[in-house]
Amino acid sequence: MAWHDVHMTIAGPSVLDIVQHFTERWNELKFRKYKSDGRYDWLQYPHDKLAAPNEPVHQLRHRDEWLEKGRRFRQRFHKGPEWKPMDDDHPHLTPMGSCKVQVVRSCSDWSHGVLKESSIQTAYIELIREAEHYIYIENQFFISNTGDYGPVQNRIAAALVERIVRAAREGKRFKVVVLIPEVPGFAGDISTVDDLQKILAATWRTINRGGHSIYEEVRAAGYEPKDYIRFYHLRSYDRINAPWPSFIRRMEEQSGITFHQAQIALAKQWIGVPEIWAQDVVEIKEPDVTKEGVVVPESVTKTEEIRLPATVEEATATIEKFQSSAKSLRDDHQVSDSVAHHALADSTSLLDEKWLGSDQEELDAYVSEILYIHTKLMIVDDRRVICGSANINDRSQKGNGDSEIALVVEDTDMIDGVMNGEPYKVGRFAASLRRKLYREHLGLMKPESVEIQTPFKMPAPTPNPDETNDIGDKLVRDPISIEMENLWNGTAQRNRAIFSELFKTVPSDTVRNFEQYKKYVPKATVCHLAPGQSLEHVKKRLCEVRGHLVEAPLDFLIEETGIWENADWKGLNPTLQVFI
């Protein structure tokens, strides 16, 4: 499965607050589980009281105790009387950037030994309410509530409804763009996997079903929600360079090693010498290729037991023997191991790609999967950013669930931007990040090898090149213009249509109930092409895919009301908190 994520690195005094979060988590675990275990040190807070006496951390109850017995790490941001430079100091001793950074978090007594803090949710709600024109969200989950309706507690959805309705009443153009995974959290057959249905039900109840979703609340106020907020996913395609009959099977015959044996040997290389225990035999189950779904657990036609190599050396020899057999069969350098880069602004075409197997083997080699969004990001007005580990769900947002951390970033380096066709000052960091993501999702950026080192792949404080005058950057400069809306939605709808046609992807708006689901999904290998298509047609249609953006099919299974209208959502399922 392909993966999409956004991470941040920072240099500056806010680092100390991140260290505080880590220190409290570490010491709480030591207190609960390893209090008398000398292998693990207590840690001090890193803040220097003489250099920064007004830091709130100095008022915390454990501060003096940890100062006496805890291990202290060198920091370079609070330079008190005792601070002295060292030879191995980072060359950039002062922050190079222009951003104001606030650390926010979700934590409580169980995780950090502190009173419940839900400042991430507070930050999300405040940023949404203060938005002037535009909100862009990428998140692994989208589970929230517009009021006191059922078990979900966080109110990020309520803030979105409030802000959208205010804009509608004022007659102002206001847009919210939300990207989430097509199938969040779990893999499985949607018609049978209960855990997956719970996640989807919680998501749908937030977006457009259940009586008090965002769409329903906006419509109740007299406005069309799609004029203000829309949802999207990411999806990719590729071609696996492993034709089975003409190549892989012949490698097995020539080397005397099966493909599965080579797989298990590679796993042994990764595992190395286990510290505790490793199984001697690995069981591989081959799925029934005549059924469709992300995972169909019961469709196993053959089970094969493979012995795990006893040593890393044995595993290495097995892999080398298997791989070396390929050299005498064909020269593979002219065939690309991946063709996914053609969805971006590549100078070549999918039609230029060579293939050394049969046409049927090439058809069998094309796959499409969701590009799983793991990001936890919101950009507001191209001025403010919140990014971290927190999903939009109760587990991350309510404070006494999962332990989370995030950064709220506001740039003081303001540059010329455009908002709804009018000049508008934007923050360099927020605007450049949002535009970079837009260019990626729309296929407006050139593909880049993972082996090439660029400043964009380096941590702070390495500066990034200025791309604000690039052609692709200019195309996505105004996030709420009619032209941008048409480009964005047109790309999402075209890509969705192509993937649905070729791969019969799930979810789909054409599938409104489980009876239609059974008829819709093809009898084909998971994630592969639906049968009955010519290679010429498949390649021609895939050449039309641009980027990875696809429209969210919000009518999928909309007639199966029992999924989101049941006892779970009336507070009668105590285990529901695990999923929401």
Side-chain angles (χ1 to χ4, degrees):
M1 180 189 297
W3 196 270
H4 170 74
D5 217 333
V6 176
H7 299 278
M8 293 170 56
T9 65
I10 65 170
S14 294
V15 169
L16 300 179
D17 292 335
I18 297 173
V19 177
Q20 174 189 340
H21 184 75
F22 176 82
T23 297
E24 290 171 351
R25 178 75 172 127
W26 177 279
N27 285 350
E28 182 63 21
L29 275 174
K30 179 169 174 61
F31 176 78
R32 290 175 181 263
K33 296 184 177 182
Y34 307 101
K35 191 173 184 180
S36 302
D37 193 330
R39 294 178 298 170
Y40 307 110
D41 293 327
W42 294 93
L43 301 182
Q44 291 184 24
Y45 287 126
H47 308 69
D48 191 314
K49 189 172 185 178
L50 294 177
N54 296 322
E55 288 283 345
V57 69
H58 300 312
Q59 308 301 319
L60 297 178
R61 60 191 177 94
H62 292 309
R63 191 256 178 192
D64 292 338
E65 178 187 350
W66 292 349
L67 187 63
E68 290 180 7
K69 63 182 180 181
R71 179 178 177 181
R72 185 169 189 173
F73 293 94
R74 176 175 167 76
Q75 57 84 20
R76 58 184 176 87
F77 304 109
H78 290 169
K79 298 179 182 178
E82 299 179 357
W83 191 91
K84 294 180 181 179
M86 297 179 66
D87 292 338
D88 60 350
D89 275 335
H90 195 285
H92 304 295
L93 285 179
T94 57
M96 295 179 62
S98 55
C99 295
K100 297 184 289 185
V101 179
Q102 172 67 55
V103 178
V104 289
R105 60 182 183 167
S106 293
C107 59
S108 62
D109 178 67
W110 83 263
S111 63
H112 285 70
V114 300
L115 296 176
K116 186 180 84 167
E117 180 178 339
S118 56
S119 52
I120 295 178
Q121 182 181 174
T122 301
Y124 265 94
I125 291 172
E126 286 187 5
L127 290 174
I128 290 168
R129 286 174 174 168
E130 294 173 3
E132 297 179 359
H133 304 282
Y134 171 78
I135 298 171
Y136 176 76
I137 295 172
E138 288 186 8
N139 208 283
Q140 182 185 5
F141 295 100
F142 195 77
I143 298 172
S144 186
N145 209 328
T146 61
D148 190 16
Y149 312 116
V152 179
Q153 298 176 24
N154 83 81
R155 295 294 186 266
I156 292 173
L160 286 168
V161 170
E162 175 191 321
R163 185 62 192 92
I164 289 168
V165 171
R166 175 154 54 94
R169 287 172 178 165
E170 293 173 352
K172 293 182 178 180
R173 187 169 175 79
F174 186 83
K175 296 292 179 181
V176 182
V177 172
V178 183
L179 272 69
I180 55 177
E182 282 189 358
V183 183
F186 297 91
D189 184 345
I190 294 172
S191 65
T192 60
V193 179
D194 185 60
D195 295 349
L196 180 55
Q197 288 188 14
K198 284 183 170 61
I199 293 285
L200 287 172
T203 305
W204 292 334
R205 288 175 63 89
T206 306
I207 297 173
N208 69 332
R209 310 179 195 182
H212 295 282
S213 65
I214 292 173
Y215 276 28
E216 290 166 307
E217 290 294 304
V218 173
R219 285 198 180 102
Y223 307 102
E224 173 52 46
K226 290 185 178 180
D227 291 341
Y228 299 92
I229 180 170
R230 284 177 177 257
F231 293 81
Y232 306 87
H233 309 307
L234 298 177
R235 176 168 279 275
S236 63
Y237 76 87
D238 208 341
R239 187 187 69 181
I240 301 172
N241 180 23
W244 189 266
S246 67
F247 189 46
I248 302 298
R249 185 173 296 163
R250 292 178 63 193
M251 288 177 63
E252 291 183 325
E253 293 170 352
Q254 186 152 321
S255 66
I257 296 169
T258 68
F259 177 71
H260 288 155
Q261 287 173 327
Q263 278 188 313
I264 300 306
L266 181 61
K268 175 61 179 180
Q269 273 193 329
W270 291 342
I271 295 170
V273 180
E275 294 184 5
I276 303 176
W277 171 86
Q279 61 202 89
D280 297 323
V281 175
V282 178
E283 187 179 82
I284 293 180
K285 296 180 179 180
E286 293 190 18
D288 185 346
V289 298
T290 64
K291 292 187 177 181
E292 166 67 7
V294 183
V295 173
V296 186
E298 72 277 6
S299 62
V300 176
T301 57
K302 186 175 72 172
T303 299
E304 183 179 1
E305 291 188 347
I306 306 293
R307 184 184 66 84
L308 191 72
T311 65
V312 174
E313 291 74 21
E314 181 186 345
T316 302
T318 300
I319 295 168
E320 289 178 350
K321 186 177 180 181
F322 181 74
Q323 291 178 336
S324 63
S325 66
K327 298 177 183 178
S328 61
L329 294 175
R330 74 182 199 187
D331 179 11
D332 206 37
H333 295 295
Q334 57 185 312
V335 181
S336 299
D337 286 332
S338 172
V339 299
H341 54 281
H342 292 300
L344 299 176
D346 191 34
S347 58
T348 62
S349 166
L350 178 64
L351 300 178
D352 300 326
E353 294 288 351
K354 294 185 179 297
W355 181 258
L356 297 182
S358 67
D359 285 358
Q360 185 59 51
E361 285 177 322
E362 186 171 7
L363 277 170
D364 293 341
Y366 281 102
V367 294
S368 177
E369 289 189 309
I370 65 174
L371 208 169
Y372 193 79
I373 298 169
H374 191 253
T375 324
K376 300 92 168 58
L377 170 75
M378 183 171 74
I379 302 173
V380 176
D381 293 329
D382 280 1
R383 289 181 173 177
R384 292 166 158 182
V385 175
I386 181 168
C387 181
S389 67
N391 295 309
I392 295 180
N393 61 8
D394 271 5
R395 288 184 54 157
S396 288
Q397 297 288 339
K398 65 182 182 179
N400 56 0
D402 294 347
S403 172
E404 310 284 9
I405 194 166
L407 304 178
V408 180
V409 182
E410 187 170 4
D411 204 338
T412 59
D413 180 10
M414 306 299 286
I415 61 175
D416 292 333
V418 184
M419 196 68 70
N420 197 24
E422 299 294 331
Y424 185 78
K425 287 292 186 180
V426 297
R428 181 181 296 277
F429 173 74
S432 61
L433 174 59
R434 196 271 306 165
R435 294 174 189 176
K436 190 92 170 179
L437 290 167
Y438 264 44
R439 288 161 55 200
E440 175 188 340
H441 300 332
L442 293 170
L444 298 175
M445 63 190 304
K446 295 180 180 180
E448 186 177 90
S449 171
V450 295
E451 298 174 356
I452 298 176
Q453 188 69 272
T454 71
F456 289 108
K457 298 175 183 177
M458 299 294 289
T462 303
N464 292 331
D466 185 354
E467 297 182 324
T468 55
N469 291 317
D470 291 2
I471 294 175
D473 194 82
K474 291 179 180 178
L475 286 173
V476 298
R477 183 168 294 179
D478 186 344
I480 66 170
S481 68
I482 298 296
E483 295 77 12
M484 183 69 255
E485 184 177 21
N486 291 339
L487 173 62
W488 184 266
N489 288 331
T491 301
Q493 291 163 5
R494 180 181 64 250
N495 289 347
R496 170 60 70 190
I498 294 169
F499 285 124
S500 296
E501 174 194 343
L502 299 183
F503 297 93
K504 297 296 183 183
T505 51
V506 176
S508 168
D509 273 338
T510 63
V511 177
R512 300 173 66 87
N513 55 58
F514 283 131
E515 190 61 33
Q516 293 176 348
Y517 178 85
K518 294 176 184 177
K519 296 177 181 178
Y520 172 81
V521 293
K523 288 180 170 58
T525 307
V526 174
C527 299
H528 286 249
L529 290 164
Q533 304 179 85
S534 70
L535 179 60
E536 180 183 7
H537 174 71
V538 168
K539 295 174 78 170
K540 178 177 178 294
R541 289 293 277 158
L542 288 177
C543 282
E544 299 172 21
V545 172
R546 285 292 171 266
H548 307 107
L549 189 71
V550 292
E551 192 173 42
L554 296 183
D555 287 337
F556 177 61
L557 295 180
I558 199 163
E559 295 175 4
E560 297 290 342
T561 56
I563 295 176
W564 63 88
E565 291 180 355
N566 54 50
D568 287 349
W569 309 104
K570 296 177 182 179
L572 300 180
N573 183 356
T575 68
L576 188 64
Q577 300 300 321
V578 174
F579 305 101
I580 64 173

